[in-house]
Amino acid sequence: MGETHENRSKWVKIRLKPTEQNLIERRYKKTTFQCMSEYARALLLGKPVMILNRDKSLDDLLEELMILRKELNAIGNNLNQAVRNINSAHGTADNRLWENLLQVVNNKLEPSVTEIKDRINTYATLWSQKLKAGKV
């Protein structure tokens, strides 16, 4: 029914030049393997080796998106604090407080959110053009 599991008790020892070891380690770091022994077994036994292909432009895009996410979170936190302060005002919130909040949103938050949206749209356009070029 099930396979019998054997412990790996046999060792294979090889000697390498430092340049050979560096080359193997560099290649190993580009793979999806968690440890060097898995990688070596796959190579020696002729099993497929998955290589990660890092795209520098994608890394840059993800870094920029993380920055934009932090900015949006900060904007949301500031807005939530303002609304909480208005709601916790003694008695009912004065229309003047809501008007001040609306003015802050229009003057400060709206331009920041618009800038973030524009930057995201720019990256989305660049990325979609790159994807289309890659398919051709």
Side-chain angles (χ1 to χ4, degrees):
M1 181 169 162
E3 293 181 17
T4 59
H5 295 284
E6 294 183 49
N7 289 336
R8 291 186 174 100
S9 60
K10 302 296 180 187
W11 285 81
V12 174
K13 299 175 186 176
I14 61 170
R15 293 182 184 266
L16 299 170
K17 295 177 186 176
T19 55
E20 293 171 331
Q21 182 181 7
N22 289 337
L23 177 63
I24 291 171
E25 286 178 1
R26 278 196 317 263
R27 288 180 179 175
Y28 157 68
K29 288 177 183 176
K30 294 179 182 177
T31 68
T32 59
F33 289 101
Q34 297 296 316
C35 63
M36 177 66 87
S37 59
E38 290 177 29
Y39 174 65
R41 268 193 299 277
L43 287 177
L44 291 169
L45 298 174
K47 294 183 178 177
V49 175
M50 296 283 290
I51 296 175
L52 295 175
N53 188 6
R54 299 286 307 219
D55 187 349
K56 178 72 171 124
S57 65
L58 180 59
D59 290 345
D60 293 342
L61 173 68
L62 292 176
E63 185 177 333
E64 181 69 21
L65 288 175
M66 289 188 311
I67 292 168
L68 293 175
R69 181 178 60 190
K70 285 180 184 178
E71 288 180 30
L72 282 174
N73 285 339
I75 290 169
N77 287 338
N78 291 339
L79 186 59
N80 284 338
Q81 288 174 359
V83 170
R84 253 189 257 124
N85 286 337
I86 290 173
N87 284 333
S88 67
H90 299 293
T92 58
D94 189 5
N95 283 343
R96 182 174 38 93
L97 292 174
W98 287 109
E99 288 172 5
N100 288 340
L101 177 63
L102 187 59
Q103 184 178 8
V104 167
V105 168
N106 285 334
N107 293 340
K108 295 184 180 178
L109 296 180
E110 183 66 30
S112 296
V113 171
T114 302
E115 179 187 347
I116 291 170
K117 285 180 183 178
D118 291 343
R119 286 165 59 188
I120 288 173
N121 287 336
T122 300
Y123 281 110
T125 303
L126 290 173
W127 190 250
S128 65
Q129 288 173 354
K130 182 175 180 171
L131 288 177
K132 288 177 185 175
K135 290 181 181 178
V136 174

